[in-house]
Amino acid sequence: MHVPNKAQFYEAMLRDDLSSFIQRTFATVDPGAQYLHNWHVDLIAEYLKACTDRDIKRLIINIPPRYLKSIAVSVAWPAWVLGHAPSSKFLASSYSDKLALKHSVDCRLVVQSAWYRRVFPCVGLVKDQNEKSRFVTTARGHRIATSTGGTATGEGGDFLIVDDPHNPRQAESPTEREKALEWFDQTFYSRLNDKKNGVIVVVMQRLHEKDLSGHLLAQGGWEHVKIPAIAESRTMIDFGRIRKTRSPGELLHPEREGKPEIAKTQTALGTYGFSGQYQQEPVPAEGGMIKKPWVHRYKTPPAHPVRIVQSWDTAYKSAQLNDPSVCTTWAETQLAYYLLEVWRDRVEYPRLKSAVKSLAEKWHPNAILIEDKASGQSLIQELKASTPLPIIAITPEQDKLTRMSAQSAQFEAGKVFIPDSAAWLLDFEKELFTFPLAEHDDQIDSTSQFLGWVSNQQQSYGYSPVKGDGHRFKRQGAW
């Protein structure tokens, strides 16, 4: 009677148990890191095995970032399935070519490893079809990588994987989200070889209520595994071999990310970001992005600010239906930002240029930010050529909603102060607290432009990015 030794027993365990295989995969693709096992890895493995057996054909897994979702779903699972059925075909995608390629290379590294060949000796790769983005087995199975928006022309799969379809920085953009949803509906979904028995797995952190997970859950017919970082209520988990009860407030993996680390993440992301990315409960974006309790008040502005900054959002036209042009003036200290004044009016270009000069003379700013588009382009060129004003051109890189969402944590952290009273305060508050449902968003644009610029300055230079901070420019000659 043959008695298997420890090595043979371990290899048999890797063949039979996907969770153990995931752990071995982790050691292969990230050999310098310490693996800390947790029950959620076992749960994901159980669901993936159910997909392998076609007991589940449509699966969504929502889990916080950096909890082994990609190693489990995009790297280990395809390698494990190919080990059992080398003719299986996988088509896997991520939001960028670079990320999709990394997952593909990691999976190929596993399949070509010595330990994998011992566990699955029947799997071999075709030499002339062994590439970073695509590898083919001798049984004509494959794993092909693509990206959100990619065509994958002529390619198909028995298993389709969507791993993080949205770039977290672009998920707030309606245009970018719609592109991802349309790509999934019109292109990627059609790549199933067998529409009845094919399997699709979507694994991602929630980024918006109308992201791909929200889009698919609204349609129905998807098995949904929701794993928040902090249990919000008593939760019973009973699937496959997993029996787990989470108590309210219980952390997902305290050995890896405990209360201090979670608290830092909450502060960094703000409620809006943390609720989606870590709790898998995206806060609806319709109104109320900035909460009233987050905004502090002041009676007297700081006497010695680090600098004064003016932020301009200029309108295309002066018509009554268009957004007005806006200038917000800010005092920056080492701990907070104080809104000193809001100038807002619908004016033609000559009066707009005069307003920039007069407000600069009033406040003597260290920097004047002007959005480099529409009338702002001419304004920047003329003022730089004819005045000593410290003009800085700002090129907007994302849409309005995304830019303000990125700065919401500044408000929540209590860094933004507005005065107790001012003639312009009521209009500013109305727009701030109802964004993005407000009729106009010009004051929001000016505000997010300032907060984004000053944050970048502090990250790059510390609190003294401007030469001679505290010394504001003096008027030189006629403007």
Side-chain angles (χ1 to χ4, degrees), residues 217-337:
L217 289 171
Q219 295 176 1
W222 289 77
E223 186 79 19
H224 186 205
V225 182
K226 174 187 168 186
I227 309 177
I230 306 172
E232 296 182 345
S233 60
R234 181 179 172 84
T235 307
M236 302 288 292
I237 300 169
D238 184 358
F239 187 82
R241 298 176 299 171
I242 309 304
R243 305 290 184 275
K244 169 72 179 176
T245 300
R246 297 187 72 185
S247 302
E250 181 181 328
L251 301 184
L252 173 55
H253 194 177
E255 291 77 18
R256 183 186 173 279
E257 196 167 18
K259 289 184 178 180
E261 293 78 22
I262 288 290
K264 288 180 181 178
T265 301
Q266 285 179 305
T267 300
L269 292 177
T271 298
Y272 187 81
F274 187 85
S275 180
Q277 295 182 44
Y278 273 72
Q279 293 301 95
Q280 315 314 313
E281 283 288 350
V283 177
E286 284 75 28
M289 180 182 288
I290 306 302
K291 310 301 180 185
K292 289 185 178 181
W294 297 352
V295 181
H296 293 261
R297 306 283 176 166
Y298 73 85
K299 292 183 181 297
T300 304
H304 302 288
V306 172
R307 60 187 167 188
I308 299 293
V309 179
Q310 290 182 324
S311 177
W312 280 89
D313 178 74
T314 60
Y316 284 90
K317 300 176 181 179
S318 61
Q320 190 65 29
L321 294 178
N322 293 308
D323 280 345
S325 293
V326 166
C327 174
T328 54
T329 300
W330 298 83
E332 176 192 0
T333 70
Q334 292 193 4
L335 298 177
Y337 314 116

Side-chain angles (χ1 to χ4, degrees), residues 184-203:
F184 180 87
D185 290 341
Q186 303 298 326
T187 301
F188 197 69
Y189 189 90
S190 66
R191 297 303 170 186
L192 274 179
N193 290 334
D194 186 337
K195 299 300 187 292
K196 289 186 176 181
N197 295 308
V199 173
I200 305 177
V201 175
V202 175
V203 57

Side-chain angles (χ1 to χ4, degrees), residues 387-424:
T387 75
L389 295 178
I391 303 296
I392 298 175
I394 302 294
T395 302
E397 296 181 351
Q398 297 166 315
D399 62 272
K400 300 171 185 287
L401 187 61
T402 303
R403 295 198 297 267
M404 192 57 179
S405 174
Q407 302 308 323
S408 64
Q410 302 256 41
F411 285 89
E412 189 171 3
K415 292 185 176 182
V416 180
F417 285 71
I418 62 176
D420 275 338
S421 62
W424 45 263

Side-chain angles (χ1 to χ4, degrees), residues 44 48 61 68-78 161 201 203:
I44 291 173
L48 293 176
I61 302 173
L68 291 181
K69 64 178 178 60
S70 294
I71 286 181
V73 178
S74 294
V75 180
W77 183 47
I161 298 172
V201 175
V203 57

Side-chain angles (χ1 to χ4, degrees), residues 7-288:
Q8 291 173 325
F9 179 81
Y10 180 58
E11 290 168 6
M13 182 175 66
L14 295 179
R15 268 192 301 273
D16 296 336
D17 182 50
L18 178 54
S19 182
S20 299
F21 188 89
I22 292 171
Q23 181 173 343
R24 186 66 184 87
T25 295
F26 176 89
T28 300
V29 301
D30 198 357
Q34 180 186 11
Y35 177 84
L36 296 173
H37 189 69
N38 195 51
W39 61 267
H40 77 275
V41 178
D42 296 328
L43 181 65
I44 291 173
E46 288 294 305
Y47 273 96
L48 293 176
K49 284 195 289 185
C51 289
T52 306
D53 297 333
R54 304 314 200 270
D55 294 329
I56 296 175
K57 297 174 186 176
R58 302 290 184 272
L59 174 65
I60 295 172
I61 302 173
N62 294 140
I63 187 170
R66 310 300 295 172
Y67 277 82
L68 291 181
K69 64 178 178 60
S70 294
I71 286 181
V73 178
S74 294
V75 180
W77 183 47
W80 190 76
V81 172
L82 287 169
H84 288 279
S87 62
S88 299
K89 295 175 175 60
F90 280 83
L91 189 58
S93 71
S94 294
Y95 67 78
S96 72
D97 288 325
K98 183 178 179 180
L99 185 60
L101 194 64
K102 181 188 184 303
H103 296 159
S104 179
V105 169
D106 286 347
C107 186
R108 187 181 65 163
L109 179 65
V110 171
V111 172
Q112 292 181 320
S113 67
W115 68 265
Y116 183 91
R117 293 197 299 270
R118 290 193 300 271
V119 174
F120 297 113
C122 294
V123 179
L125 300 185
V126 177
K127 291 183 179 179
D128 62 354
Q129 297 190 61
N130 184 359
E131 305 168 2
K132 289 183 178 181
S133 62
R134 169 195 177 102
F135 59 84
V136 180
T137 69
T138 53
R140 309 310 297 170
H142 65 230
R143 187 198 187 282
I144 299 173
T146 186
S147 61
T148 302
T151 59
T153 304
E155 305 293 357
D158 308 314
F159 300 91
L160 305 186
I161 298 172
V162 182
D163 186 345
D164 281 337
H166 305 281
N167 182 326
R169 291 177 296 179
Q170 297 176 348
E172 291 297 332
S173 166
T175 301
E176 295 297 329
R177 278 200 319 275
E178 285 302 320
K179 284 181 181 178
L181 303 186
E182 183 178 350
W183 164 81
F184 180 87
D185 290 341
Q186 303 298 326
T187 301
F188 197 69
Y189 189 90
S190 66
R191 297 303 170 186
L192 274 179
N193 290 334
D194 186 337
K195 299 300 187 292
K196 289 186 176 181
N197 295 308
V199 173
I200 305 177
V201 175
V202 175
V203 57
M204 61 181 287
Q205 55 185 305
R206 293 301 304 272
L207 297 170
H208 192 276
E209 63 168 346
K210 295 180 181 179
D211 58 19
L212 182 59
S213 286
H215 174 69
L216 298 177
L217 289 171
Q219 295 176 1
W222 289 77
E223 186 79 19
H224 186 205
V225 182
K226 174 187 168 186
I227 309 177
I230 306 172
E232 296 182 345
S233 60
R234 181 179 172 84
T235 307
M236 302 288 292
I237 300 169
D238 184 358
F239 187 82
R241 298 176 299 171
I242 309 304
R243 305 290 184 275
K244 169 72 179 176
T245 300
R246 297 187 72 185
S247 302
E250 181 181 328
L251 301 184
L252 173 55
H253 194 177
E255 291 77 18
R256 183 186 173 279
E257 196 167 18
K259 289 184 178 180
E261 293 78 22
I262 288 290
K264 288 180 181 178
T265 301
Q266 285 179 305
T267 300
L269 292 177
T271 298
Y272 187 81
F274 187 85
S275 180
Q277 295 182 44
Y278 273 72
Q279 293 301 95
Q280 315 314 313
E281 283 288 350
V283 177
E286 284 75 28

Side-chain angles (χ1 to χ4, degrees), residues 303-309 332 363-367 463-474:
H304 302 288
V306 172
R307 60 187 167 188
I308 299 293
V309 179
E332 176 192 0
W363 292 103
H364 301 296
N366 298 96
Y463 280 97
S464 297
V466 177
K467 233 179 222 186
D469 269 350
H471 173 70
R472 303 174 196 167
F473 81 93
K474 299 299 182 182

